[in-house]
Amino acid sequence: MFPHFRTRKNKSLKKAYERGILMATQDRVYNFSAGPSMLPLEVLQRAGSEITNYGGSGMSVMEMSHRSKAFQKIFDDTQAKFRALLNIPENYKILFLQGGASTQFSMLPLNMIGKTGKADYVVTGNFSNIAYKEAKKYGEINLAASSADRNHVYIPAQEQLKLSSDASYFHYCANNTIYGTEWQYVPETGNVPLCCDMSSNIMSRPVDVSKYGIIYAGAQKNLAPSGLTIAIVREDLAGFELPYTPLMMSYKTMIEKDSMYNTPPCWCIYILGLVCDWLVDLGGVTEMEKVKANKAKMLYETLDASRLFIAPAEVGSRSDMNVVFRTQSEELDDKFVKEATAAGFTTLKGHRNVGGMRASIYNAMPTEGVEKLCDFIRSFDKNN
Ligand SMILES: Cc1ncc(COP(=O)(O)O)c(C=O)c1O
């Protein structure tokens, strides 16, 4: 019943995705949620087709022992596909964890701050601020830069970073989901390991992983359902956790047990594997970078050309994943969200910290969804 997407030609899938045909054939809305967010339709269909009987096993992946051969193969294949897509060097371990990116706000300092007792943090929004405050419990934290002075509408430049040479690590958040800003450069920190929260832009563009000590991401935006957190850990950095670090929060434990110290989030890992297949068929992250840049450009150009709408994030710092915008009045914002929802564009209401609207256009949002949203914005602009 469902087409098996691995049997399709890469090009036709890519075209179908770009033209939004995959959406048009199904009774689905364009879901602009910031996360959990859209998953590729073909991934959902494939998972649906296998939900009661995975690969002839007579059971769902949800029902499978994580110690079974069948699941071990899913796990190993997913790890290998993830490594290949992001070109992750062999001296980095890929961990499939739980607890969300928020748990990494504690796990990171617990494992990393021991070296000098100090770390550098940049605050560019809500989540990097939570990470900064959490890290303060474990050591001396230097605020290397903050964009709070202008309500986080910009990303500090390299020259603005006040770096400490004795920091155990440097932490930043690559894409600020709530404020709609994204780092367009990789900070230069010399010998201090770079640690990065990539929850909301991982797999949307190539990353030179070798520049980083640790990368982590909650899966529920670009990768898989919520419940899975990925950590990419340079192996030599593990094993120096503070003595009171909970067993479950030690990178070393998880590396030694290949993420299976306890039961891992099996279903999410399986879906991640399908998402990786989908990305490979589209041409990988290099291709995805072009597609996502085009979608974001279309949307920002439409907003900038309008009379009513303002996109507050500064040019040069704007996120390609979360496009934040508003009108001059809250009533008009509400009207926009209401009418957009009725037209099939859902979850456009902005985060309560910022107000207005936010269109999260992660990897799985087809180009057609953004084109249609742009049409809707133009007609709303004309009629109000
Ligand atoms: C950039 C970023 N970091 C961290 C988090 C927190 O993630 P979680 O809910 O997985 O703990 C989020 C959630 O939206 C986020 O967008």
Side-chain angles (χ1 to χ4, degrees):
M1 183 181 168
F2 296 109
H4 189 306
F5 70 86
R6 296 292 296 171
T7 62
R8 286 202 191 183
K9 289 250 183 317
N10 291 0
K11 271 194 182 144
S12 64
L13 173 64
K14 188 167 162 264
K15 275 203 186 119
Y17 168 75
E18 283 172 356
R19 282 189 269 134
I21 287 169
L22 299 179
M23 291 293 292
T25 56
Q26 296 288 316
D27 204 5
R28 305 236 313 149
V29 293
Y30 292 110
N31 174 9
F32 293 90
S33 168
S37 41
M38 286 183 73
L39 283 164
L41 180 59
E42 299 225 344
V43 166
L44 297 176
Q45 287 177 330
R46 167 88 182 269
S49 74
E50 295 176 338
I51 201 155
T52 57
N53 182 354
Y54 174 81
S57 64
M59 63 178 89
S60 172
V61 175
M62 283 186 269
E63 302 168 305
M64 228 172 237
S65 162
H66 60 294
R67 307 280 176 206
S68 66
K69 259 196 183 148
F71 183 73
Q72 189 65 51
K73 178 153 174 43
I74 293 172
F75 185 98
D76 293 342
D77 288 352
T78 303
Q79 240 184 16
K81 287 184 278 198
F82 191 87
R83 185 180 291 281
L85 273 165
L86 272 186
N87 201 15
I88 300 173
E90 282 305 317
N91 60 325
Y92 287 76
K93 293 290 178 197
I94 302 164
L95 302 180
F96 294 147
L97 308 173
Q98 301 185 59
S102 302
T103 298
Q104 294 305 305
F105 298 162
S106 331
M107 195 159 167
L108 186 73
L110 279 165
N111 284 268
M112 292 287 291
I113 210 158
K115 201 168 164 202
T116 64
K118 298 178 185 175
D120 284 355
Y121 273 67
V122 180
V123 171
T124 50
N126 177 66
F127 295 107
S128 50
N129 190 38
I130 298 173
Y132 165 67
K133 287 194 294 196
E134 183 66 12
K136 279 181 163 185
K137 292 179 187 167
Y138 304 107
E140 195 182 312
I141 307 301
N142 165 46
L143 184 60
S146 165
S147 54
D149 57 334
R150 281 190 279 133
N151 201 29
H152 301 305
V153 292
Y154 72 103
I155 297 293
Q158 173 74 43
E159 312 78 72
Q160 292 174 287
L161 306 179
K162 295 191 186 71
L163 303 173
S164 346
S165 53
D166 59 348
S168 300
Y169 65 96
F170 171 100
H171 178 271
Y172 75 110
C173 175
N175 183 77
N176 299 287
T177 322
I178 293 177
Y179 293 89
T181 58
E182 186 170 7
W183 289 66
Q184 305 300 343
Y185 70 98
V186 178
E188 230 7 282
T189 57
N191 290 329
V192 174
L194 260 186
C195 296
C196 184
D197 176 358
M198 285 193 194
S199 294
S200 50
N201 68 352
I202 195 162
M203 285 290 183
S204 69
R205 53 159 82 184
V207 175
D208 183 354
V209 174
S210 71
K211 288 191 170 169
Y212 292 84
I214 290 171
I215 294 170
Y216 64 87
Q220 63 271 21
K221 295 150 201 309
N222 262 343
L223 301 177
S226 62
L228 169 65
T229 311
I230 313 262
I232 304 166
V233 181
R234 211 179 75 202
E235 219 176 342
D236 62 298
L237 295 173
F240 303 99
E241 65 267 23
L242 297 176
Y244 49 84
T245 302
L247 196 54
M248 280 291 294
M249 292 177 79
S250 151
Y251 288 134
K252 186 164 176 265
T253 310
M254 286 303 179
I255 288 174
E256 280 173 1
K257 300 288 181 189
D258 202 7
S259 305
M260 290 220 213
Y261 176 77
N262 73 329
T263 317
C266 301
W267 173 256
C268 301
I269 292 167
Y270 156 71
I271 299 287
L272 173 63
L274 299 187
V275 170
C276 288
D277 288 343
W278 176 81
L279 269 164
V280 169
D281 279 1
L282 282 171
V285 283
T286 313
E287 224 23 71
M288 186 47 76
E289 183 176 34
K290 292 181 205 154
V291 174
K292 67 95 185 172
N294 175 51
K295 286 188 291 185
K297 185 167 175 279
M298 261 194 305
L299 191 43
Y300 284 117
E301 280 179 358
T302 303
L303 293 166
D304 289 342
S306 74
R307 283 174 315 117
L308 287 179
F309 296 99
I310 301 156
E314 278 182 6
V315 174
S317 297
R318 285 174 163 181
S319 166
D320 280 358
M321 296 281 105
N322 310 96
V323 177
V324 169
F325 59 104
R326 60 179 155 80
T327 68
Q328 302 279 15
S329 103
E330 275 182 33
E331 289 73 40
L332 212 48
D333 287 348
D334 288 345
K335 185 168 186 253
F336 178 87
V337 171
K338 213 167 159 188
E339 290 182 12
T341 307
F345 307 105
T346 69
T347 341
L348 279 165
K349 196 168 165 51
H351 189 273
R352 59 193 173 280
N353 288 8
V354 178
M357 282 75 73
R358 170 177 53 176
S360 297
I361 49 173
Y362 298 122
N363 288 356
M365 171 60 67
T367 300
E368 189 202 44
V370 178
E371 279 167 356
K372 286 189 172 169
L373 179 65
C374 289
D375 289 344
F376 182 83
I377 290 171
R378 276 187 288 268
S379 83
F380 189 91
D381 190 51
K382 203 164 124 212
N383 299 333
N384 287 275

